[in-house]
Amino acid sequence: MELGGLLTYGVFFLTQAGIYAVLALGLNVQFGLTGQINIGVAGFFAVGAYTSAILTTSVTPAHLGGFDLPFLVGIAGAVVASGIVAVGIGWVTMRLRSDYLAIATIGIAEIIRLTLKNEDWLTNGVRGVPGIPRPFVETLGTDPLISLAVILAFVLLAYWLVERARVSPWGRVLRAIRENEDGVMAAGKDVARFRLQAFVFGSGLMGMAGGLYAHFIGFISPEAFLPLYGTFLVWVMLIAGGAGNNRGAVLGAFAIWMLWSATQFMTDALGAEYATQAGALRVLLIGVLLQVILILRPQGILPEHGRKGRR
Amino acid sequence: MTEFLQLVIYGVVLGSILTLGAIGVSLIYGILRFAHFAHGDIMTMGAYFAFALVVGLGFPIWASAPFAVVGGALLAIAIDQTVYRRLRRVQPIILLISSFGIAIALRSVVQLIWGPHNQVYASGIQMPYRLGDLVIKPDHVWIVLGAVVLVTALHLFLTRTKMGKAMRAMSDNMDLALVSGIPSERVIMVTWAVGGGLAAVAGVFLGMDTRLHPVMGWSLLLPVFAAAILGGIGRPYGAIAGGMVIGLSMELSTMVINPTYKPAVAFALMVLMLVVRPQGLFKGNA
Amino acid sequence: MTLLAIEGLTGGYGGADILHGVDLRVEPGEMVVIIGPNGAGKSTLMKAAFGLVKIREGAVLFERRDITPLRPDQIVRQGISYVPQENNVFPSLSVEENLEMGAFIRTDDIRPQLERIYNFFPRLGERRDQIAGSMSGGERQMLAMGRALMLDPKLLLLDEPTAGLSPLFIDQTFERIRKINEAGIGILMVEQNAKQALAVCDRGYVLTMGRNRIDDTGANLLANKDVAEMFLGG
Ligand SMILES: Nc1ncnc2c1ncn2[C@@H]1O[C@H](COP(=O)(O)OP(=O)(O)OP(=O)(O)O)[C@@H](O)[C@H]1O
Ligand SMILES: [Mg+2]
């Protein structure tokens, strides 16, 4: 690869890693701070991506809209739509053990996937939504560096929001709930409400990541999401980086994305006839990596502040 | 009417498969207190174990099923001993995440060995039995009969043997089981063997009913959990009722809605249950 | 040979220590009572003897053998049985199944032992097929004791066996414990009904804030002014 190609790849790599960083931060609000398990990350991500796509594309008979609205409106819509889905699912499960939330999130992700695939009027079904404009394309042009800058700005925004939340009294209540739910309840706090807020906050960020992804890629379809692997990667990123630590979440996103991309180079070397096996092998490696981390260093690379050793 | 009865038959078949999966989920939850997310993929593995024997050694499917059971049981024990056992001392929530990773890893293994495509145990069309306008495939009869036999055997195991009673005791009160001298590690191993074995048959049955595919088990995970929750998670007997209710509802729903949304029906029932009666039909360990 | 010896036991549940250097012993055939205010660490001490709490310092010796590092199921095999203060039956199992679980580690025929238990607690015999969760508090307490006796232990640990019982049941329970003790089984018991307990026991310990303050014969403790003030209602 010559220098120009390398540069292009670098920009592409960083952009995608940035999107994962936003996802990991969203999951950190839910799992890291509050102890909630969301196996439907990809679902919230997809809702965000489709919402922003429908809001910002030009009018078409192929799917709902489009509404030709500006990029930032699309992103805001993505956050709101994911948040609304989260309110629905959270309302049902917030009073129950975290296992129930985990199970419910597989369900919601599955239903979202089926809807995207089957409801042509809304999403154009398997044909997908093309022509999603790049961020600020009218004023700033189509340079990929602009997209990268925009996405990194959103990573900073997400980091700032989550970090603010973490050190706030609200964040302390969340951690208290995670450590000792009964104690918090005894102190007269509405545990379910705090949990719901955290769940919606995290899901909103995932929606935001979805919106960014749509504008960055320009075309989305149900196939583009690989729902489970996406969710799984985000989990590995957060656990590897350090659940509960926001810098850990961002670091984990970049580190695991680098590892994931590197395994692609290795499996590409195997040649096209082994493409599916190579793909499976990559996933297997990451699956094993997760177990190794959980057993040997469950606190991740950057442990949560004020917490040492195994949990 | 015929359509309705036909769907009832499909529902009972699906319900039998779900029941076998949900019992394992429930037993494991009762003793180890976590939702085992790799259960669907153990089903998949079981289905492919049998497939290897059918294709590789020319076994008939009924003869390879017992081997699949043993394979599923050993697989579950192996996963527990290498991974879950080391995580048991931390919160159950970590076990859940770990099992999610195991699910993904198992699926990759299936893809690596058997490829990503659909497979079937036997090509060609089975001659169905006809009862008036109703069509019953021989496989359907075997699936339901197999499930009845296995559930009966499990019932006898849980109520007549010392080990089965110890499993119920541990699920009731872990601390008391320990101070009574019940060897918890051994009981946990047996629990995995039973859960993994039943999941493997469920997988084989699913493969007989439809086809084999690396995602077959994961796709059934939601209805399996729904069945376990409906029956009261941690209560293996509830899982039977839960499995049947979910299986029947999923099939009967196709009279009114698009069949692709079958999983949504399971989900809706589960959510309804969580709202009105989170402890399940039969008081579980919510 | 001393049956049970607890020496300088310090430990707790992982956080701050609950017990601070507790010493205690039970001789063969003896009945020993621990009294103390709520939260003193009485239950914790019982659990510590059974390997259920983190012990930082000190040791638990049973017949001079150090059992501190053993797991609960290994301790049971030494001949100690334990009836916890709460949740001491398997609620979804029948009475008989509960008793069978008490004898899990026995490989011989347990029917004679079951019959002995049913003779000793006729109420349990009448209800052998009843689900434990549907029984009254008094019946559960009997069942819990029956379960613990299934192994013919040399030492029985009882944590507040009369808690929540009616006065009639309390008397009955003390009577039964005395009979068990007369059969040669050593008893270490935590009790809130200090007066009655001290009256029947050989020796007693007063535990406060994780330390044993006073130990003496039951009669002397009953006569002790401080003890009377603290626990016997003046
Ligand atoms: N599982 C536990 N984890 C952490 N701390 C505990 C646990 N159980 C008890 N404690 C604490 O240990 C201390 C001693 O409790 P313990 O139950 O031993 O008291 P006790 O003397 O038996 O009281 P009671 O008369 O109420 O039964 C208390 O401060 C209690 O809060
Ligand atoms: Mg106590």
Side-chain angles (χ1 to χ4, degrees):
Chain A
M1 229 187 300
E2 32 134 4
L3 197 63
L6 206 61
L7 210 65
T8 317
Y9 183 80
V11 170
F12 182 72
F13 171 86
L14 285 176
T15 310
Q16 284 187 306
I19 292 171
Y20 272 107
V22 176
L23 283 170
L25 285 167
L27 188 61
N28 200 25
V29 177
Q30 297 176 342
F31 177 69
L33 302 189
T34 326
Q36 295 170 325
I37 302 193
N38 181 352
I39 306 288
V41 175
F44 295 98
F45 182 74
V47 168
Y50 270 92
T51 307
S52 195
I54 288 171
L55 289 176
T56 57
T57 44
S58 16
V59 182
T60 162
H63 56 80
L64 182 68
F67 297 97
D68 220 357
L69 291 164
F71 164 72
L72 286 177
V73 177
I75 297 295
V79 173
V80 171
S82 299
I84 290 173
V85 175
V87 170
I89 194 67
W91 182 77
V92 177
T93 52
M94 286 305 134
R95 276 160 225 286
L96 305 168
R97 269 185 59 127
S98 51
D99 306 63
Y100 290 92
L101 174 65
I103 295 165
T105 54
I106 334 180
I108 203 76
E110 179 69 4
I111 289 170
I112 290 169
R113 190 181 69 83
L114 291 173
T115 310
L116 297 180
K117 225 167 143 175
N118 293 298
E119 302 303 320
D120 287 10
W121 61 273
L122 180 65
T123 64
N124 200 23
V126 288
R127 286 181 300 281
V129 178
I132 308 162
R134 280 192 169 251
F136 306 115
V137 69
E138 281 108 13
T139 42
L140 299 174
T142 57
D143 191 331
L145 274 173
I146 301 291
S147 296
L148 175 61
V150 169
I151 280 169
L152 291 183
F154 273 97
V155 174
L156 281 178
L157 172 69
Y159 176 82
W160 181 75
L161 283 173
V162 180
E163 186 63 16
R164 283 281 308 263
R166 188 182 70 80
V167 297
S168 72
W170 182 76
R172 279 203 296 278
V173 175
L174 294 186
R175 266 166 293 153
I177 291 173
R178 188 190 64 192
E179 299 303 324
N180 179 2
E181 184 181 339
D182 296 337
V184 178
M185 219 172 314
K189 294 253 183 350
D190 186 347
V191 168
R193 182 132 146 229
F194 276 93
R195 280 215 189 111
L196 182 60
Q197 289 165 349
F199 188 66
V200 172
F201 181 13
S203 301
L205 286 178
M206 292 169 189
M208 182 168 106
L212 294 172
Y213 173 81
H215 291 280
F216 162 67
I217 292 286
F219 166 77
I220 51 173
S221 73
E223 299 312 310
F225 289 109
L226 286 179
L228 208 57
Y229 297 140
T231 299
F232 183 58
L233 270 183
V234 178
W235 268 102
V236 180
M237 287 165 176
L238 181 61
I239 303 268
N245 184 321
N246 289 320
R247 272 184 301 157
V250 175
L251 176 69
F254 280 86
I256 296 294
W257 187 246
M258 192 165 348
L259 191 70
W260 179 247
S261 307
T263 57
Q264 173 152 37
F265 282 121
M266 289 191 314
T267 51
D268 280 355
L270 283 175
E273 66 262 52
Y274 295 111
T276 51
Q277 280 93 331
L281 194 62
R282 287 172 79 197
V283 179
L284 179 60
L285 287 177
I286 299 287
V288 172
L289 176 68
L290 175 67
Q291 310 304 334
V292 172
I293 297 172
L294 284 176
I295 291 170
L296 296 182
R297 197 174 166 84
Q299 72 273 39
I301 306 171
L302 298 177
E304 183 176 4
H305 305 270
R307 187 196 271 273
K308 283 201 207 83
R310 20 181 73 234
R311 38 166 84 203
Chain B
M1 191 60 198
T2 312
E3 190 197 356
F4 178 80
L5 286 178
Q6 188 68 52
L7 288 175
V8 167
I9 292 171
Y10 293 150
V12 170
V13 172
L14 179 60
S16 305
I17 296 169
L18 294 180
T19 296
L20 293 175
I23 288 174
V25 163
S26 230
L27 283 173
I28 292 162
Y29 188 92
I31 288 179
L32 294 167
R33 303 279 134 174
F34 80 106
H36 183 225
F37 269 62
H39 216 70
D41 293 272
I42 291 187
M43 288 168 65
T44 309
M45 279 298 229
Y48 277 91
F49 283 152
F51 180 74
L53 294 176
V54 169
V55 171
L57 301 174
F59 276 34
I61 182 66
W62 57 265
S64 47
F67 290 96
V69 172
V70 175
L74 292 178
L75 174 69
I77 291 175
I79 295 170
D80 179 61
Q81 289 296 308
T82 49
V83 181
Y84 300 154
R85 189 169 61 88
R86 295 169 206 274
L87 297 173
R88 258 184 235 138
R89 231 153 283 173
V90 296
Q91 310 136 312
I93 199 173
I94 299 295
L95 279 169
L96 195 161
I97 294 163
S98 167
S99 70
F100 176 40
I102 294 285
I104 302 269
L106 287 179
R107 180 196 302 190
S108 309
V109 169
V110 169
Q111 282 187 353
L112 263 180
I113 302 177
W114 290 285
H117 306 295
N118 286 350
Q119 318 258 20
V120 289
Y121 286 126
S123 44
I125 300 190
Q126 280 190 319
M127 275 307 285
Y129 306 123
R130 287 188 181 281
L131 267 168
D133 291 333
L134 293 181
V135 181
I136 304 178
K137 282 201 296 180
D139 276 354
H140 288 162
V141 178
W142 290 124
I143 290 171
V144 175
L145 273 182
V148 170
V149 168
L150 286 167
V151 167
T152 312
L154 179 80
H155 170 71
L156 292 176
F157 172 71
L158 288 177
T159 51
R160 302 288 160 82
T161 69
K162 202 158 129 180
M163 189 45 95
K165 289 174 195 174
M167 274 168 68
R168 284 161 53 219
M170 268 181 70
S171 167
D172 256 15
N173 188 339
M174 179 64 110
D175 290 337
L176 189 63
L178 287 179
V179 302
S180 301
I182 295 175
S184 58
E185 283 300 320
R186 228 167 75 208
V187 178
I188 289 173
M189 237 196 227
V190 175
T191 306
W192 281 109
V194 173
L198 291 178
V201 209
V204 174
F205 287 171
L206 183 64
M208 287 161 66
D209 188 31
T210 55
R211 75 219 147 35
L212 291 96
H213 186 271
V215 194
M216 62 193 278
W218 177 268
S219 324
L220 222 56
L221 191 63
L222 179 63
V224 163
F225 275 131
I229 287 176
L230 217 63
I233 197 153
R235 306 273 145 189
Y237 292 101
I240 302 169
M244 283 301 155
V245 172
I246 297 286
L248 284 169
S249 316
M250 281 172 75
E251 293 298 343
L252 289 174
S253 71
T254 60
M255 289 173 80
V256 281
I257 63 167
N258 183 339
T260 39
Y261 287 112
K262 269 198 255 179
V265 174
F267 181 72
L269 277 173
M270 181 179 93
V271 166
L272 190 72
M273 198 64 178
L274 290 179
V275 173
V276 294
R277 205 178 143 81
Q279 69 274 45
L281 291 170
F282 308 89
K283 195 167 161 305
N285 307 307
Chain C
M1 179 167 60
T2 301
L3 194 58
L4 179 78
I6 293 175
E7 297 175 349
L9 205 67
T10 299
Y13 296 94
D17 287 336
I18 307 283
L19 303 171
H20 308 277
V22 178
D23 295 307
L24 180 152
R25 72 192 155 78
V26 181
E27 299 297 335
E30 225 184 359
M31 180 178 328
V32 175
V33 165
I34 304 171
I35 58 175
N38 290 102
K42 304 180 301 288
S43 297
T44 307
L45 180 59
M46 293 288 226
K47 289 182 210 165
F50 223 77
L52 294 169
V53 269
K54 279 211 183 78
I55 295 174
R56 280 205 310 113
E57 279 167 40
V60 182
L61 306 181
F62 185 68
E63 295 183 327
R64 292 216 196 100
R65 181 174 168 202
D66 186 1
I67 60 166
T68 328
L70 299 190
R71 290 191 315 264
D73 60 297
Q74 294 168 319
I75 293 176
V76 170
R77 280 170 203 276
Q78 308 297 312
I80 312 181
S81 286
Y82 166 49
V83 179
Q85 182 175 353
E86 288 160 334
N87 299 323
N88 49 22
V89 299
F90 299 109
S92 79
L93 270 57
S94 71
V95 167
E96 185 143 322
E97 287 172 335
N98 263 277
L99 296 176
E100 281 177 57
M101 287 302 105
F104 189 92
I105 59 173
R106 283 179 68 151
T107 47
D108 54 341
D109 186 7
I110 61 167
R111 260 170 305 175
Q113 182 71 1
L114 270 178
E115 286 314 314
R116 273 200 290 280
I117 300 286
Y118 288 145
N119 281 334
F120 193 62
F121 299 104
R123 192 64 157 263
L124 297 182
E126 293 158 21
R127 317 212 149 180
R128 52 184 85 188
D129 292 323
Q130 190 173 337
I131 297 301
S134 67
M135 300 201 307
S136 74
E139 292 165 342
R140 284 193 206 200
Q141 214 44 269
M142 284 184 208
L143 178 56
M145 242 187 262
R147 196 213 82 239
L149 289 172
M150 284 299 289
L151 289 176
D152 268 333
K154 295 177 194 156
L155 174 67
L156 183 61
L157 307 182
L158 299 171
D159 196 345
E160 305 203 12
T162 65
L165 302 189
S166 67
L168 184 71
F169 259 128
I170 294 182
D171 292 345
Q172 264 188 26
T173 306
F174 274 121
E175 181 54 27
R176 287 224 172 78
I177 294 173
R178 205 182 47 76
K179 272 195 192 150
I180 295 170
N181 183 233
E182 273 168 9
I185 297 176
I187 288 185
L188 175 62
M189 147 167 90
V190 172
E191 252 307 321
Q192 290 286 356
N193 295 300
K195 223 177 216 164
Q196 268 173 298
L198 291 176
V200 293
C201 73
D202 298 309
R203 284 185 308 113
Y205 289 81
V206 179
L207 195 73
T208 50
M209 297 170 72
R211 294 188 168 81
N212 50 337
R213 301 281 178 202
I214 317 171
D215 52 292
D216 210 330
T217 63
N220 283 351
L221 283 175
L222 270 176
N224 184 314
K225 237 180 72 208
D226 293 344
V227 175
E229 243 167 60
M230 275 189 290
F231 306 108
L232 307 175

